[in-house]
Amino acid sequence: MELSNLEIMEKIDEARKFQKLGKFKEAEKVYSDSLINNGNSFDLIYSYALFSKDLKNFILAKRLLVNLTKKFPSNIKSFIVLSEILTVENRFLEAEQVLLLAKNIAPKNSDLFYNFSRLYRSGKNFDLSLKYINKAIDLNKNIDIYKIFKADILISINQVDKALSILEVMKSGEKNNKQLQIKNLLSKIYIRKKRFKNAEEILLGLVNEYNH
């Protein structure tokens, strides 16, 4: 039965709940059953591709994503995820080619530049990685993950004071994944700067936070 857009989103939500509970066969069945009569839904196929990627079924995920790039060439999300998988497989040149195709479609997309930066960092090309994360930040200064990633790059090239200036203003008492990343990076900086007491305070704080 062909589903409405709302019904498709409900099926995706159902599959994601199964995945979160570790019920992967049930999630797979929701996707498989839904795709029988709804194979032209970008959202459904894209979600199934992400599910396959999470399960490390890269062959299926890549096949789904390549099909999406052909069916929906104006939506660059499938290009980005495809490049992420190729990067994990150390196929850096192919990942770069995929992102360049996406750049032709959306030349001013900040997420695209962020993924260029991630790709080049994976290949240890820190100069290009820094160049592209700066472009992403210039396009969208409100996304904290870009700034955190820039700080991480700066630490890798021993520009720890610049990284520290970025992270210190972002640190807060909130308990979330973003703050976990920030505090982990701050502890690395303090160790590099031989501020061992500061690093210890942060790490002990994280242990207390995430053990309760």
Side-chain angles (χ1 to χ4, degrees):
M1 181 179 70
E2 189 170 352
L3 302 174
S4 67
N5 288 336
L6 178 59
E7 288 171 327
I8 286 172
M9 296 312 295
E10 288 172 349
K11 289 294 182 182
I12 291 171
D13 188 53
E14 180 184 358
R16 287 175 177 170
K17 285 177 180 175
F18 278 132
Q19 182 182 353
K20 192 173 182 180
L21 292 169
K23 296 182 177 182
F24 303 123
K25 288 183 179 178
E26 290 86 346
E28 174 79 34
K29 189 174 188 311
V30 172
Y31 283 121
S32 298
D33 290 349
S34 301
L35 281 165
I36 292 171
N37 294 308
N38 300 278
N40 288 319
S41 167
F42 177 89
D43 291 324
L44 184 59
I45 301 170
Y46 180 71
S47 185
Y48 187 33
L50 293 180
F51 169 75
S52 302
K53 173 177 175 275
D54 288 344
L55 267 57
K56 303 272 190 294
N57 188 349
F58 292 153
I59 292 174
L60 175 58
K62 285 186 291 185
R63 179 164 60 80
L64 293 167
L65 292 164
V66 168
N67 286 339
L68 282 177
T69 65
K70 294 174 180 177
K71 280 187 177 181
F72 304 94
S74 63
N75 193 322
I76 67 165
K77 290 197 296 183
S78 49
F79 290 87
I80 288 174
V81 179
L82 179 57
S83 76
E84 288 175 356
I85 295 173
L86 292 168
T87 300
V88 170
E89 295 178 329
N90 293 321
R91 295 163 66 179
F92 299 123
L93 288 176
E94 291 170 81
E96 183 182 42
Q97 288 303 311
V98 170
L99 290 179
L100 287 170
L101 288 173
K103 189 180 176 186
N104 289 333
I105 298 163
K108 293 191 179 295
N109 184 287
S110 62
D111 252 357
L112 182 58
F113 286 122
Y114 167 61
N115 278 275
F116 267 113
S117 182
R118 291 176 64 196
L119 167 64
Y120 292 130
R121 191 190 190 289
S122 295
K124 307 296 182 185
N125 190 334
F126 296 113
D127 288 341
L128 274 179
S129 184
L130 192 58
K131 173 185 174 181
Y132 276 92
I133 199 61
N134 282 333
K135 286 186 176 186
I137 292 169
D138 286 343
L139 285 169
N140 196 333
K141 293 179 171 59
N142 297 320
I143 298 184
D144 287 341
I145 193 172
Y146 298 168
K147 299 171 191 174
I148 294 169
F149 194 71
K150 178 177 179 177
D152 197 11
I153 298 167
L154 291 168
I155 293 169
S156 297
I157 58 177
N158 293 315
Q159 294 187 21
V160 291
D161 288 328
K162 288 182 180 179
L164 184 62
S165 67
I166 292 170
L167 295 170
E168 282 190 325
V169 297
M170 298 177 68
K171 181 183 171 186
S172 77
E174 293 179 27
K175 184 179 176 181
N176 53 40
N177 187 57
K178 181 178 77 176
Q179 286 301 315
L180 176 61
Q181 292 179 68
I182 290 169
K183 289 171 184 177
N184 272 327
L185 290 176
L186 282 170
S187 70
K188 287 183 182 180
I189 292 171
Y190 291 144
I191 289 168
R192 293 270 188 99
K193 294 172 74 69
K194 301 189 186 303
R195 290 169 56 179
F196 300 118
K197 186 67 176 174
N198 296 111
E200 183 183 37
E201 286 175 0
I202 287 177
L203 293 172
L204 286 175
L206 289 175
V207 169
N208 288 332
E209 279 182 36
Y210 290 91
N211 276 352
H212 292 87

